[in-house]
Amino acid sequence: MKTFYGRADPSMGGIDCEEEDEEYDYHQEIARSSFADMLHDQDRNIKYYQGIKAAVQRVKARGEKVTVLDIGTGTGLLSMMAVTAGADYCYAVEVFNPMADAAVTIVKRNGFADKIKVINKHSTEVTVGPDGDMLTRANILVTELFDTELIGEGALPSYEHAHIHLMQRGCEAVPHRATIYAQLVESERLWSWTQLQPIDVDDGKRLLPPPAAVSCSGAPSVCDIQLSQVSPQSFTALGPLCTMFRVDFSQPVSSASQSYSSQFQVQASGRAQVVLSWWDIDMDPEGSIVCSMAPSWTYADPQEGPWRDHWMQSVYFLPSEMAVREGEEVRLTVTHDDYSLWYNLSSSPQTSTGSLLDRPMCTCQAHLVWNRPRFGELNDRHRNRSYIKALRRVLKSDSVCLGISDGSLLPILASMTGAQKVFSIENSGMSRQVIEQILECNSLKDEVQLLGMQPEQVTSEDLEGHKVSVLMGEPYFSSSLLPWHSLYFWYCRTALAQTLQPNATILPSSATLYIMGVQFQDLWRIRAPSGTCEGFDVTPMDEMVQQSLDYRESREAEPHHLWEYPCRGLTDPQPVMTFNFQKCLPEQPISSQGSVPLLRGGRCHGVAMWMEFQLTDEITLSMGLLEPVSEKGACKWSPHRKQGVYFLKSSWDSVGDGRASVAYNLTFDPKLGDIKMDFSVASP
């Protein structure tokens, strides 16, 4: 049976299906997993071991043999902890085939093969009995089935099944319970990720969002982020931190939908918009061993907050913002199904705990077209002012404009700043409907013509006989993953060459790729070898990851929102490639080689990469660094686009004297639309 997978194709501006060999799942899942991050999470590991040891002691104190069921064993680490703590036998369940194979190897290498049985199944398929996977029901349940939202990986159905079919009555569980916390806040920054705001153009003109978008309850999914990187100065707490609900994992668990409420007095007047949420897990019944997901700014010393990427914090957007006054009684309600949570706010004290509230769903389609970073980008005032300023520079009263970007407001802004005629290519039918709503709301439906076709299909007839004098793009394409994928604009410009006037303006006129050697505060952990973890040899996991990286990820960059992952620039930003949109796409590859000196002391973990677009001779927009790197290397990154990160095979300790450097070798292949790359540290 043939297997296909989706891969970004920058030359086509979409997702291409490619045939993959039978090992695809193995390579894709392992290379991009968070196993390394989890194994490096010492706080998590220590507290799991403390909780497991305490549970084993409680069972032994009752005079029982200890049988452990470990669901989602991964590397087998928690099972090995259980046996080390005195468990008589452990059943380690892992559904992912390559991971189960790794667990078997790791368990054997550490000398536990006679006490740990790895079961390569989903826990709901495990059977108990003389001919079953387990000889007897277990009396300790150990799991790590949680995600940022706690229940998003199907924890509730798995616990429900385990208690009914696999566990003894009155069993112990590690973790013992989980608690969900939430805080109601007002935040212009966070709210801009879910609602399109008016844009001031000029001469009193404003681009208004359509009523359907304003009244829409938004996307139903959680926004999971490193909330520690959202400054408390960027939001106002309107209420206390509320305990919303708890789940006791040692008792039968239900996956049925339920609602819980917390009533409190508003602490500050404002607009209730956003709910910040996280959870903690008690590893023991007494709650003396706690693993918390609270952001670092909740700690007296923020440096004490453990860093994790496999578990973060959650941002939920209320279906609509609500004005609240200090001292007013309100009720915050959370509802969950078997996989997700959502929140609502009411000023009615009669709302009772247990009544189910409908899951918010997008009705305006904008939340299906634009993701959260895209909403933030469209609402960015500085960015919008830059585009409007650039349009004023290039537009004339007889300008004929053609826009190329996905779900873009740039063609509308061009019409509002004086272009004679504006066309915009919008291939997606859903995206076209959203833009049409905006045009109708602003009485511009006759001013901007939307073309539902590919750039190479556009003819003079589609342009009503006009030749394009201004070809524009942000550029933004929803299928782009890495910074240079936006070069699809160049492919479109080339395909449209025959529709352009001889001296047509191209906006942006060019793009430049920048690189910078960086030291990450924490992100390096996701690619760092584990070696020995809490005294157990887990090198087979490192071997699997490296094999996967060699297979697909080697010599490739990863997309990351670097505003969430603090780093220091150890080199200065270096422009390494410029792409001239004034000319058509070249047929031959573009190559660039050189080195960037390491000017600051620190450990160089990798290279950050981003694009800067030259809108006009005077106006440049960066999709990476927003400010010059400070003297000590501090960086401020654009929150709207992902930057590229290339992790070095081995990190490098820099003394910062400029003698050592990051060497680069880059080749842009116009046939593929991608960049082949290699980085290394060169020393004298």
Side-chain angles (χ1 to χ4, degrees):
M1 180 178 177
K2 293 183 178 180
T3 302
F4 295 88
Y5 73 99
R7 187 175 176 85
D9 185 348
S11 67
M12 299 297 291
I15 302 296
D16 188 26
C17 288
E18 294 188 14
E19 184 178 351
E20 187 54 274
D21 62 30
E22 61 183 5
E23 295 297 311
Y24 165 70
D25 285 341
Y26 163 82
H27 296 296
Q28 190 81 340
E29 295 295 332
I30 294 296
R32 292 174 179 161
S33 71
S34 296
F35 283 110
D37 173 37
M38 287 188 283
L39 293 174
H40 282 287
D41 188 346
Q42 193 172 19
D43 178 74
R44 161 195 177 270
N45 297 338
I46 290 174
K47 287 171 179 174
Y48 257 102
Y49 181 65
Q50 291 174 342
I52 290 170
K53 186 176 180 181
V56 169
Q57 291 172 349
R58 290 194 298 273
V59 173
K60 283 186 173 294
R62 298 197 293 262
E64 302 175 20
K65 282 190 173 182
V66 178
T67 303
V68 175
L69 173 62
D70 174 10
I71 299 179
T73 193
T75 60
L77 178 63
L78 302 185
S79 292
M80 293 188 293
M81 287 181 177
V83 173
T84 302
D88 295 288
Y89 202 78
C90 185
Y91 296 100
V93 180
E94 176 56 52
V95 68
F96 182 37
N97 295 351
M99 201 70 248
D101 293 340
V104 170
T105 302
I106 292 171
V107 165
K108 183 177 181 181
R109 182 172 295 189
N110 286 275
F112 295 111
D114 60 333
K115 287 199 171 185
I116 298 176
K117 178 183 179 181
V118 178
I119 303 172
N120 184 199
K121 289 183 176 181
H122 193 282
S123 65
T124 57
E125 299 173 344
V126 173
T127 57
V128 179
D131 299 322
D133 302 300
M134 300 169 59
L135 289 177
T136 181
R137 288 177 177 241
N139 50 20
I140 296 182
L141 176 58
V142 176
T143 63
E144 205 279 55
L145 299 172
F146 314 118
D147 68 348
T148 294
E149 206 171 11
L150 184 71
I151 64 173
E153 292 185 1
L156 296 181
S158 296
Y159 272 110
E160 185 175 44
H161 176 273
H163 275 289
I164 295 172
H165 299 284
L166 306 176
M167 302 304 300
Q168 296 178 21
R169 183 174 297 179
C171 67
E172 302 284 345
V174 181
H176 181 80
R177 75 175 66 84
T179 305
I180 296 278
Y181 302 96
Q183 186 166 39
L184 182 68
V185 304
E186 174 184 353
S187 174
E188 181 180 354
R189 177 186 177 184
L190 298 178
W191 190 245
S192 73
W193 295 353
T194 193
Q195 288 289 349
L196 185 63
Q197 306 297 320
I199 300 174
D200 292 318
V201 184
D202 58 5
D203 300 328
K205 296 179 183 177
R206 300 188 88 198
L207 179 60
L208 301 175
V214 174
S215 61
C216 180
S217 60
S221 58
V222 64
C223 176
D224 54 342
I225 61 171
Q226 292 284 356
L227 198 53
S228 296
Q229 301 309 313
V230 177
S231 168
Q233 282 68 50
S234 66
F235 62 84
T236 301
L238 302 180
L241 184 64
C242 300
T243 299
M244 298 307 300
F245 68 94
R246 290 187 170 93
V247 182
D248 186 340
F249 297 125
S250 69
Q251 300 296 321
V253 173
S254 172
S255 61
S257 298
Q258 296 184 60
S259 287
Y260 306 88
S261 293
S262 178
Q263 188 168 324
F264 56 88
Q265 282 191 343
V266 175
Q267 295 177 339
S269 298
R271 294 174 298 153
Q273 300 168 322
V274 177
V275 175
L276 309 182
S277 181
W278 57 87
W279 49 267
D280 62 31
I281 42 179
D282 295 331
M283 296 299 184
D284 62 333
E286 296 76 25
S288 61
I289 308 168
V290 182
C291 188
S292 175
M293 304 309 119
S296 61
W297 38 257
T298 64
Y299 288 75
D301 179 2
Q303 299 301 318
E304 294 180 356
W307 182 86
R308 305 177 172 93
D309 203 48
H310 56 104
W311 295 330
M312 293 186 280
Q313 296 81 38
S314 300
V315 173
Y316 298 89
F317 302 99
L318 294 177
S320 61
E321 62 180 352
M322 174 178 160
V324 294
R325 293 185 178 182
E326 183 178 353
E328 178 184 359
E329 288 279 340
V330 296
R331 183 178 291 272
L332 183 65
T333 300
V334 62
T335 304
H336 75 77
D337 55 20
D338 48 353
Y339 283 94
S340 57
L341 310 173
W342 57 94
Y343 284 83
N344 212 322
L345 185 70
S346 172
S347 59
S348 171
Q350 285 76 34
T351 304
S352 59
T353 297
S355 59
L356 300 181
L357 297 175
D358 290 338
R359 182 184 178 93
M361 297 297 292
C362 174
T363 55
C364 70
Q365 300 191 76
H367 300 91
L368 306 179
V369 171
W370 299 323
N371 59 23
R372 267 89 184 220
R374 180 60 172 161
F375 266 102
E377 186 171 49
L378 293 171
N379 287 323
D380 187 316
R381 294 188 184 94
H382 170 74
R383 167 191 174 277
N384 290 335
R385 284 196 296 266
S386 295
Y387 277 116
I388 292 169
K389 185 177 179 180
L391 288 171
R392 287 174 181 156
R393 296 283 178 89
V394 303
L395 291 181
K396 300 177 182 178
S397 58
D398 61 349
S399 291
V400 177
C401 303
L402 176 60
I404 309 170
S405 284
D406 290 348
S408 177
L409 304 181
L410 192 58
I412 303 178
L413 296 176
S415 177
M416 296 179 74
T417 49
Q420 180 189 41
K421 191 66 182 177
V422 180
F423 300 90
S424 179
I425 295 176
E426 286 288 356
N427 293 319
S428 163
M430 190 176 296
S431 182
R432 278 200 309 278
Q433 291 179 40
V434 171
I435 299 300
E436 284 172 352
Q437 289 181 52
I438 297 173
L439 290 172
E440 185 170 355
C441 169
N442 290 275
S443 302
L444 293 171
K445 201 165 185 180
D446 296 331
E447 307 300 322
V448 179
Q449 180 73 36
L450 303 181
L451 306 177
M453 59 188 68
Q454 299 291 335
E456 60 271 17
Q457 298 173 321
V458 176
T459 65
S460 175
E461 184 177 349
D462 298 313
L463 300 174
E464 300 175 359
H466 295 287
K467 285 281 189 178
V468 175
S469 60
V470 179
L471 182 68
M472 65 180 69
E474 300 185 35
Y476 170 84
F477 303 100
S478 57
S479 61
S480 297
L481 299 176
L482 289 159
W484 45 91
H485 290 175
S486 58
L487 291 177
Y488 176 58
F489 177 79
W490 206 2
Y491 290 82
C492 297
R493 179 258 183 269
T494 302
L496 291 162
Q498 298 305 313
T499 69
L500 305 180
Q501 293 181 12
N503 296 314
T505 297
I506 312 296
L507 188 158
S509 60
S510 64
T512 300
L513 176 66
Y514 279 78
I515 67 169
M516 182 173 67
V518 295
Q519 175 185 16
F520 286 108
Q521 180 175 303
D522 295 296
L523 187 63
W524 59 271
R525 301 173 195 272
I526 69 172
R527 289 291 173 263
S530 303
T532 300
C533 179
E534 306 307 319
F536 301 105
D537 181 4
V538 293
T539 50
M541 182 64 204
D542 295 332
E543 294 164 5
M544 290 177 65
V545 170
Q546 190 56 54
Q547 183 180 353
S548 301
L549 293 174
D550 290 342
Y551 178 80
R552 178 164 303 286
E553 301 288 322
S554 178
R555 301 167 67 87
E556 289 188 7
E558 304 176 11
H560 291 283
H561 281 297
L562 290 186
W563 73 267
E564 294 186 66
Y565 304 105
C567 62
R568 293 176 56 238
L570 302 186
T571 73
D572 283 340
Q574 174 77 14
V576 292
M577 277 188 175
T578 295
F579 310 95
N580 184 5
F581 300 150
Q582 304 284 4
K583 298 180 180 180
C584 289
L585 187 78
E587 295 183 1
Q588 299 302 315
I590 302 173
S591 297
S592 177
Q593 300 85 32
S595 61
V596 193
L598 288 159
L599 302 176
R600 301 175 187 89
R603 172 161 288 190
C604 186
H605 294 117
V607 178
M609 292 171 277
W610 67 96
M611 298 287 275
E612 290 191 3
F613 294 102
Q614 196 78 29
L615 301 185
T616 67
D617 291 341
E618 304 87 8
I619 305 172
T620 300
L621 270 184
S622 173
M623 303 302 161
L625 282 177
L626 297 181
E627 297 175 355
V629 178
S630 74
E631 185 178 342
K632 294 184 178 180
C635 307
K636 182 178 180 180
W637 298 98
S638 167
H640 309 314
R641 303 280 181 103
K642 289 184 178 181
Q643 292 75 41
V645 176
Y646 184 103
F647 289 99
L648 297 172
K649 290 184 178 179
S650 299
S651 57
W652 180 272
D653 289 321
S654 165
V655 296
D657 60 4
R659 298 179 66 191
S661 60
V662 177
Y664 60 88
N665 188 345
L666 308 173
T667 301
F668 170 71
D669 186 344
K671 291 185 175 62
L672 300 175
D674 223 333
I675 295 178
K676 295 180 180 178
M677 60 188 66
D678 187 35
F679 292 93
S680 61
V681 176
S683 59

